């Protein structure tokens, strides 16, 4: 699979696409929190169920460190679960036509997704993609690619390889 190293590198997503992925995914998490608050309020108003309202109230009383810790755990769970179960595509990546693959062109493993997600907890990792590769890409040996361009180049390479084999036979 080393033959795909150059193809993976050539089809990496642009920095602005990666930034859009980040913004969209953060927006999805924010909307999920807002929806949870709305549903909790609705349950309290309609059925006098205050369980969720009490949890939200207690969460609003925590100190800044605990807030950052809880938010980091939620973002870790979101990024890990969605990328793992969708085979490398968060909601932001679906919208921008991006996908996570290993540097050799293979599908990332459970551990690759786990390392990517844990790495995101590092402060300033969210902006590290503005360099050559994001830290979570480097540490997990994965890349975010433009899936349409990547598949087109793989198809073209396969057709060229197939033509060469026909002429030899």
């Amino acid at each position: 699979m080393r033959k795909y190293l150059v193809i993976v590198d050539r089809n990496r997503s642009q920095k602005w696409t990666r930034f859009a992925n980040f913004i969209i995914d953060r927006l999805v998490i924010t909307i999920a929190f807002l929806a949870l608050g709305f549903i909790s309020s609705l349950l309290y108003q309609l059925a006098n169920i205050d369980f969720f309202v009490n949890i939200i109230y207690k969460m609003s009383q925590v100190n800044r460190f605990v807030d950052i810790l809880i938010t980091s755990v939620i973002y870790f769970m979101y990024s890990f679960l969605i990328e793992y179960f969708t085979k490398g595509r968060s909601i932001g990546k679906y919208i921008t036509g991006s996908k996570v693959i290993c540097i050799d062109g293979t599908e990332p493993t459970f551990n690759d997704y786990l390392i990517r997600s844990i790495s995101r907890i590092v402060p300033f990792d969210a902006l590290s993609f503005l360099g050559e590769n994001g830290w979570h890409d480097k540490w997990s040996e994965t890349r975010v690619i433009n899936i349409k361009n990547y598949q087109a180049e793989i198809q073209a390479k396969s057709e060229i390889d197939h033509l060469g084999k026909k002429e030899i036979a």
Side-chain angles (χ1 to χ4, degrees):
M1 277 296 198
R2 286 190 60 80
K3 64 182 178 180
Y4 292 118
L5 268 162
V6 174
I7 297 172
V8 169
D9 240 18
R10 223 180 356 246
N11 291 289
R12 286 187 307 185
S13 288
Q14 300 296 315
K15 292 175 184 172
W16 288 109
T17 304
R18 306 263 336 247
F19 185 66
N21 293 342
F22 172 75
I23 295 297
I24 293 166
D25 289 334
R26 287 291 172 134
L27 190 60
V28 166
I29 291 172
T30 301
I31 290 169
F33 274 117
L34 290 172
L36 179 63
F38 178 76
I39 291 168
S40 299
S41 177
L42 197 61
L43 284 173
Y44 180 71
Q45 293 295 323
L46 297 176
N48 205 24
I49 299 173
D50 64 352
F51 176 74
F52 297 110
V53 172
N54 288 337
I55 289 175
I56 291 171
Y57 176 75
K58 288 177 185 172
M59 295 297 290
S60 70
Q61 303 300 312
V62 298
N63 66 39
R64 183 73 178 137
F65 175 76
V66 174
D67 179 43
I68 291 170
L69 186 63
I70 291 168
T71 305
S72 296
V73 168
I74 290 169
Y75 189 66
F76 162 78
M77 289 174 46
Y78 167 79
S79 62
F80 172 72
L81 293 173
I82 198 159
E83 282 187 349
Y84 180 71
F85 286 112
T86 61
K87 300 189 184 308
R89 301 191 74 188
S90 66
I91 293 172
K93 289 180 186 74
Y94 270 109
I95 292 170
T96 62
S98 304
K99 181 180 179 173
V100 174
I101 62 171
C102 288
I103 58 174
D104 63 359
T106 59
E107 181 75 32
T109 64
F110 178 88
N111 286 339
D112 295 330
Y113 289 121
L114 188 64
I115 291 168
R116 274 181 69 79
S117 298
I118 289 172
S119 300
R120 286 185 171 114
I121 296 173
V122 174
F124 302 110
D125 173 71
L127 301 176
S128 69
F129 67 85
L130 294 172
E132 184 67 22
N133 292 303
W135 294 334
H136 57 275
D137 295 327
K138 183 178 178 182
W139 297 333
S140 63
E141 295 186 343
T142 58
R143 297 292 181 265
V144 177
I145 56 153
N146 178 305
I147 193 164
K148 189 183 281 187
N149 294 348
Y150 176 78
Q151 288 174 337
E153 189 167 345
I154 291 294
Q155 178 68 31
K157 182 168 179 40
S158 174
E159 289 172 1
I160 290 170
D161 289 346
H162 185 68
L163 282 174
K165 290 179 184 176
K166 275 187 176 180
E167 289 182 12
I168 293 173

